[in-house]
Amino acid sequence: SLKAPVITIDGPTASGKGTVAQQVAEVLSFHYLDSGALYRLTALASLKVGIDEDDVDTLVELAGDLHIVFREGCVRLDGEDVSNEIRAEHVGNRASAIAVHGALRQALIARQRAFRVPPGLVADGRDMGTVIFPDATLKVFLTASVAARAERRYKQLIEKGFSAKLDDLSRDLQARDARDSQRAAAPLKAAADALTLDTSGLSVEQTVETVVGWFRERTARE
Ligand code: CDP
Ligand code: CDP
């Protein structure tokens, strides 16, 4: 195809998508799209403005007006570095709540596809392989047990200086899984042609190696 290659990495919360996608992008010198950050940024903006999570018209307007810059692992919203702020659990939960709205998802499509430029892209999220890049070169679906994911998220939050309780995290991530999987608009699910990898017992390095290996196999055959 004339389009730049894309690797999509979808999966539930804390399955390792972000960490793995960034490292795969580094290995291949590809661009990286953190699509969840777009939902988190919209969520943060909606909290700041103080609108209801179901006020779709205002959410769509807000999403269209967001001035976002991704650079060197940081993200700026209207000039302000919000890299840490968008990682708070309440922002993630709000992101999941507003992500059910089809009109909002629609409003974010072009912004996401614009990341697909040479030499290639690694994109992580929930619907990268199913909706945003249905013709991706390689589609990966990462999973991990609830216990492994709650433990990972706990460590991340403590490191960022947030307080967290393992029980609450475990309950919240199961609620988020349920909502993300059951919504009508672009639900969380593996694309029919995705390769699934359970990372519960894998290190980040092993996961990255597996994905890069799959990509090299696939492009060697073409
Ligand atoms: O890091 P974590 O997996 O918890 O979340 P994220 O990828 O930052 O995404 C936050 C929320 O945005 C998710 O719970 C999804 O509901 C939503 N999201 C989505 O609907 N579609 C995407 N492509 C990415 C995120
Ligand atoms: O993006 P997503 O919510 O799926 O996960 P993440 O933000 O990348 O968080 C995953 C966490 O689990 C990171 O702290 C990783 O170091 C760790 N981890 C992993 O990603 N993959 C493994 N195979 C093992 C641990």
Side-chain angles (χ1 to χ4, degrees):
S1 131
L2 291 172
K3 286 187 181 164
V6 186
I7 300 174
T8 58
I9 304 188
D10 291 306
T13 185
S15 56
K17 303 177 302 292
T19 306
V20 170
Q22 281 177 71
Q23 294 195 18
V24 169
E26 232 163 79
V27 171
L28 299 170
S29 296
F30 279 12
H31 301 281
Y32 166 57
L33 166 64
D34 173 3
S35 66
L38 298 176
Y39 289 92
R40 285 173 181 269
L41 287 160
T42 311
L44 181 63
S46 78
L47 289 166
K48 288 192 168 168
V49 176
I51 60 158
D52 190 86
E53 64 186 35
D54 293 319
D55 182 351
V56 183
D57 292 344
T58 312
L59 284 170
V60 167
E61 205 177 301
L62 210 54
D65 289 345
L66 297 177
H67 182 70
I68 302 168
V69 178
F70 289 102
R71 197 166 52 211
E72 284 157 9
C74 289
V75 56
R76 291 179 167 273
L77 178 60
D78 299 326
E80 189 194 344
D81 187 342
V82 294
S83 315
N84 273 335
E85 212 178 339
I86 61 164
R87 296 296 145 203
E89 270 314 276
H90 75 279
V91 178
N93 289 328
R94 165 60 75 111
S96 167
I98 63 173
V100 303
H101 302 303
L104 174 63
R105 309 196 65 84
Q106 200 70 31
L108 292 172
I109 290 181
R111 237 187 238 267
Q112 296 175 78
R113 291 191 178 144
F115 280 79
R116 185 178 193 172
V117 287
L121 176 67
V122 184
D124 89 76
R126 300 292 186 291
D127 62 342
M128 297 298 97
T130 50
V131 175
I132 306 298
F133 303 110
D135 61 339
T137 320
L138 171 68
K139 299 180 186 180
V140 177
F141 195 78
L142 295 185
T143 61
S145 67
V146 169
R149 292 188 289 130
E151 190 80 32
R152 291 174 184 177
R153 189 53 27 110
Y154 179 80
K155 282 195 193 150
Q156 281 180 315
L157 287 169
I158 297 301
E159 273 165 25
K160 288 203 164 75
F162 292 109
S163 67
K165 286 204 193 112
L166 204 51
D167 285 359
D168 293 349
L169 285 175
S170 171
R171 191 199 55 220
D172 284 355
L173 75 81
Q174 290 178 78
R176 186 114 65 94
D177 286 355
R179 182 159 53 188
D180 289 350
S181 313
Q182 287 158 22
R183 70 184 176 211
L188 167 68
K189 64 161 191 245
D193 51 350
L195 299 178
T196 297
L197 186 60
D198 184 337
T199 69
S200 305
L202 298 180
S203 67
V204 172
E205 295 69 33
Q206 289 172 318
T207 312
V208 170
E209 265 175 38
T210 304
V211 173
V212 170
W214 282 341
F215 179 73
R216 297 213 157 115
E217 262 173 43
R218 185 146 303 184
T219 47
R221 261 191 271 125
E222 275 165 15

